[in-house]
Amino acid sequence: MPAAELSEPEYLRHVEHLARKVVAMAKEEGWLSHGDDPAELTPLQQVISQLDDQIRHHHFAGDGCVDDSELPLMKLAGIVVLRPEAMPAGMAGTYDEICARLGVDARPEGWAIWNTWAADGQPVSIVMVDLEGTEGVLMNWTRGIEVYPVTPLPAQVVLARQGWVTPMTLSPLSARKLGTTRPVCWSPADG
């Protein structure tokens, strides 16, 4: 779609996407470094370094940036958020019924479900109490920013089940595997 046909928010998201792509490509080429002496950088490298400094993602507890966690990032197939007042579109049953099928209490705060893979590659759903961090991940995904949370602490995990809970919001990784277009974006692992 030509830029003239985009609304202002769509245009700004498109420009942000392109800026992230430029920064990602500079990182892939191996020359984007914030530790370099700016006098040793070309004018283009200086501008791209400044661009990288300005592009931000929505930070949340457990994003691998805010705290000094040594836990690895967890790649997700997708996320499901269950709340008594707002169920995912297309999910059959009431909140109480779905909680009963999952084997968890129908708590007023709701549940976050991370769909991921076990060590052997099998699909696994992890029922979590971490709604705030999960919503932080989703806020980034809706902006086209590929971020993943750190591996959850045992205290955050209520239940793990074989298979995935659906319908889920697909991660950028899953969307790419399915052939849909997702922006190339910065992730916390990139620094």
Side-chain angles (χ1 to χ4, degrees), residues 13-145:
R13 279 194 299 273
H14 181 67
V15 169
E16 181 180 35
H17 162 69
L18 292 174
R20 289 182 193 287
K21 192 169 184 176
V22 166
V23 169
M25 292 174 88
K27 286 180 182 178
E28 284 177 18
E29 289 182 3
W31 59 263
L32 182 63
S33 171
H34 296 285
D36 292 341
D37 179 6
E40 296 176 9
L41 299 176
T42 68
L44 176 61
Q45 291 171 328
Q46 289 176 8
V47 170
I48 293 175
S49 292
Q50 291 171 1
L51 183 62
D52 186 37
D53 289 338
Q54 294 302 311
I55 296 175
R56 302 282 184 235
H57 77 279
H58 173 77
H59 288 283
F60 55 92
D63 70 355
C65 292
V66 177
D67 46 10
D68 276 338
S69 174
E70 294 189 18
L71 295 170
L73 295 178
M74 178 176 268
K75 292 293 184 186
L76 302 176
I79 290 175
V80 178
V81 175
L82 301 177
R83 292 191 183 272
E85 68 277 2
M87 294 297 294
M91 187 167 276
T94 66
Y95 175 72
D96 291 338
E97 291 168 344
I98 292 166
C99 288
R101 285 196 308 256
L102 287 172
V104 296
D105 293 332
R107 63 185 206 136
E109 301 91 345
W111 297 102
I113 301 171
W114 293 0
N115 290 328
T116 188
W117 298 270
D120 64 359
Q122 295 298 310
V124 175
S125 291
I126 302 172
V127 181
M128 310 263 305
V129 295
D130 183 18
L131 283 162
E132 184 178 333
T134 301
E135 288 172 347
V137 172
L138 288 171
M139 285 180 69
N140 283 292
W141 289 359
T142 61
R143 292 179 57 214
I145 303 169

Side-chain angles (χ1 to χ4, degrees), residues 135-180:
E135 288 172 347
V137 172
L138 288 171
M139 285 180 69
N140 283 292
W141 289 359
T142 61
R143 292 179 57 214
I145 303 169
E146 184 167 356
V147 297
Y148 295 97
V150 296
T151 301
L153 298 171
Q156 295 174 301
V157 177
V158 175
L159 179 70
R161 297 181 56 96
Q162 189 175 14
W164 286 335
V165 175
T166 59
M168 66 176 143
T169 299
L170 293 175
S171 70
L173 175 66
S174 294
R176 278 195 311 276
K177 284 183 177 183
L178 292 173
T180 62

